[in-house]
Amino acid sequence: MKKPLILLVLSASLLMSHFSANAAETNAPAAAPVAAAAPATPALKDPSIEQRIADLEAYVNNGARSSTTDTNITSKVTGSGPGHNGFQMICAALVLFMTLPGLALFYGGLVRKKNVLSVLAQCLGIAGLVTILWWLVGYSLSFHAGSGTSGSTILGTLDWKFLDGVDSSPNTDYGAWVSHNVYCMYQLMFAIITPALIIGAIAERMKFSAILIFVTLWMFVVYFPLAHMVWGVDGLMNGVWNAKASIHAIDFAGGTVVHMSSGWSALILCIILGKRMGFGKEPMAPHSMVLCMIGAAMLWVGWYGFNAGSAVAADGIAANAFTTTTVATAVASFVWAMAEYVTKGKPSVLGFSSGVVAGLVVVTPACGFIDITGSVIIGIFAGLVPFFFVTKVKGWIGYDDALDTFGVHAVGGTMGALLTGFLATAKVNPNLSTNLSKYLENHTLWIEQLKAICLTLTIAVIGTIIIAYIIKFTIGLRPTEDVESAGLDLTEHGEEGYNG
């Protein structure tokens, strides 16, 4: 009986409050007179037939619409362009496909079967974690203009925190016809795969909790600053679009931002972490070359979104990047396997697969700036130099880079960034002439690339050392010997990859 009575009293109170509020509004004194309105802004003019046709031509050619250059007129072609936007969404999905399931299967096949699920869980965990960081402040720090007055900055402001203001209208700093939110999601996929690459070096021996904390800190210390410096509209190393850049370097799709940063960080982390139990004393062969090859093939397919999509339009530059990516990757895969044939007597599926990834890595910074002959040159280097580091240097030095992240991504990314400085040509990408003509004419672009390489390496190495030791002396990096011996699948995730 008490409960109905209480509810009745509460309902009556709410009703009385409602009527009191209405009465107060009715009896309230009249508002003060509104100040005289400011003169109305002159209405924008409709575009002429010529201007409307020019907008359509701009859409086809991925150029600026009339209202961008003449602010007194409107444009009848508003918003994003359906073709370019659709292309960019497909490319974003392809880049995610590189991580899930491509990288997960490639790495998963290379570890022992007691650790296969740990690799899959790490890829999934990183995808979720980085997405949250990207929404929180990551995208804003990476791509919003910085607050510096020099026009050459390291980080963006927080104006796009929680993706506030990132809507379906194009942000012409990054794409004339692609929705801002689509571009944001496209770049998110890069942010996801970059730290996921690091787990290849520390596979089978790092705690899941330590990985999540490491990735969180690493994104703020290494990835967000590098992404802004290289690709941000006023970035310190954005040589293509920022005339005030301190370093006039170029990176079409992530040689420095993605592969150098992850690869060099992976080397430092695996050294600090230490070798796997039994490393060098017991066999640690891949448990499934079938999964490895499937993952490598998925990476190749997904990489078209990575490289061609970095044109941010379905245009001729994207077509060139698509072509050079194909040629360089095929050449590298063949050359790596033939190097095995010569030195070991047998070309392996692992060799073909490693060559695929090496070719993709090395061509990434160059793909939108080089011609087809340049891609063949890159393919040959990609097939031989990482092969040498993986098969010889790794053994000489003795570090336990479990899945060769350093040998392929750090070495390949660094070499690709440098080769881009020698092979880039404005004949395939006229944008190089915007701010880099003198470097191309004087053949000094490679010096700017070398500066970018040094800065990227410094940030990745120092940042990783600091973060790794903070974690090591707080929660610890490694599981216990019993946990590592039993395998991370059961002990950390409570599951097995294969039953029976």
Side-chain angles (χ1 to χ4, degrees):
M1 185 67 185
K2 288 182 179 179
K3 287 183 179 179
L5 188 59
I6 292 170
L7 288 172
L8 192 61
V9 172
L10 285 173
S11 301
S13 301
L14 288 170
L15 233 96
M16 291 297 293
S17 301
H18 173 71
F19 284 124
S20 299
N22 284 346
E25 288 175 8
T26 304
N27 298 325
V34 179
T41 304
L44 297 177
K45 300 175 183 177
D46 283 337
S48 65
I49 293 295
E50 290 79 8
Q51 288 167 328
R52 293 172 72 171
I53 293 172
D55 276 357
L56 291 175
E57 290 176 345
Y59 169 65
V60 171
N61 295 320
N62 189 32
R65 64 195 85 201
S66 300
S67 56
T68 304
T69 54
D70 186 350
T71 56
N72 293 318
I73 64 167
T74 61
S75 174
K76 297 297 183 181
V77 187
T78 58
S80 57
H84 297 305
N85 224 30
F87 168 77
Q88 206 64 35
M89 285 188 278
I90 292 170
C91 287
L94 284 171
V95 180
L96 180 61
F97 184 73
M98 289 169 63
T99 306
L100 303 170
L103 186 69
L105 293 179
F106 180 67
Y107 278 174
L110 290 173
V111 298
R112 291 167 288 181
K113 67 178 182 179
K114 65 181 180 180
N115 293 310
V116 59
L117 290 185
S118 71
V119 172
L120 307 189
Q122 288 158 12
C123 287
L124 285 165
I126 287 171
L129 172 62
V130 171
T131 299
I132 294 168
L133 298 178
W134 200 245
W135 161 77
L136 191 65
V137 294
Y139 179 67
S140 190
L141 291 173
S142 300
F143 288 95
H144 197 283
S147 57
T149 56
S150 66
S152 182
T153 61
I154 295 172
L155 277 174
T157 68
L158 294 177
D159 289 6
W160 290 336
K161 61 184 180 298
F162 309 120
L163 299 186
D164 183 33
V166 180
D167 56 22
S168 297
S169 300
N171 180 319
T172 53
D173 285 337
Y174 299 110
W177 300 96
V178 170
S179 295
H180 193 188
N181 49 17
V182 171
Y183 181 78
C184 171
M185 290 298 100
Y186 177 69
Q187 288 295 342
L188 166 63
M189 307 316 172
F190 282 69
I192 287 172
I193 197 170
T194 305
L197 293 171
I198 297 174
I199 66 176
I202 51 86
E204 304 191 300
R205 66 192 192 280
M206 188 166 173
K207 294 194 296 188
F208 187 70
S209 57
I211 288 174
L212 293 182
I213 295 171
F214 176 85
V215 169
T216 300
L217 297 175
W218 189 86
M219 293 300 289
F220 283 96
V221 174
V222 178
Y223 188 83
F224 296 154
L226 279 176
H228 183 82
M229 284 189 279
V230 175
W231 292 327
V233 64
D234 59 351
L236 184 148
M237 295 190 282
N238 188 347
V240 177
W241 298 113
N242 183 13
K244 297 180 180 179
S246 300
I247 298 174
H248 288 83
I250 58 176
D251 185 352
F252 193 78
T256 51
V257 180
V258 177
H259 300 295
M260 275 194 67
S261 69
S262 62
W264 286 100
S265 294
L267 174 67
I268 299 303
L269 185 58
C270 82
I271 291 172
I272 294 172
L273 190 62
K275 300 174 184 178
R276 288 168 288 178
M277 289 174 56
F279 178 74
K281 300 175 183 177
E282 60 185 65
M284 295 183 175
H287 90 279
S288 175
M289 281 310 306
V290 173
L291 287 182
C292 174
M293 186 275 167
I294 292 171
M298 288 178 171
L299 283 167
W300 190 343
V301 172
W303 222 290
Y304 288 115
F306 204 80
N307 285 2
S310 291
V312 199
D315 61 4
I317 294 173
N320 185 74
F322 188 99
T323 304
T324 55
T325 297
T326 304
V327 173
T329 305
V331 170
S333 178
F334 184 77
V335 168
W336 186 304
M338 292 307 102
E340 278 189 329
Y341 213 165
V342 171
T343 58
K344 299 180 180 180
K346 295 178 181 178
S348 68
V349 170
L350 178 57
F352 279 111
S353 300
S354 299
V356 164
V357 177
L360 291 165
V361 168
V362 180
V363 79
T364 288
C367 60
F369 301 127
I370 60 171
D371 58 23
I372 297 176
T373 300
S375 69
V376 173
I377 294 170
I378 278 182
I380 294 170
F381 274 94
L384 293 176
V385 177
F387 169 79
F388 178 72
F389 271 83
V390 168
T391 60
K392 298 296 182 183
V393 176
K394 178 180 174 180
W396 293 340
I397 299 177
Y399 55 86
D400 184 12
D401 177 10
L403 311 181
D404 296 317
T405 302
F406 171 72
V408 173
H409 293 276
V411 173
T414 305
M415 181 172 64
L418 186 58
L419 288 174
T420 302
F422 291 105
L423 299 173
T425 170
K427 291 179 181 178
V428 300
N429 191 331
N431 295 324
L432 288 172
S433 299
T434 305
N435 294 308
L436 298 171
S437 293
K438 69 174 183 179
Y439 298 99
L440 294 173
E441 292 167 4
N442 299 332
H443 305 290
T444 56
L445 182 58
W446 67 273
I447 298 174
E448 299 299 302
Q449 295 298 100
L450 196 58
K451 293 177 186 176
I453 287 168
C454 292
L455 180 56
T456 301
L457 196 153
T458 301
I459 292 170
V461 169
I462 294 176
T464 300
I465 290 172
I466 294 170
I467 296 167
Y469 276 110
I470 288 173
I471 298 172
K472 184 175 182 176
F473 293 122
T474 51
I475 68 166
L477 291 167
R478 293 186 74 140
T480 64
E481 290 187 2
D482 289 343
V483 167
E484 188 175 334
S485 179
L488 301 182
D489 288 2
L490 269 176
T491 54
E492 289 234 305
H493 305 288
E495 302 169 295
E496 288 183 284
Y498 307 96
N499 295 310

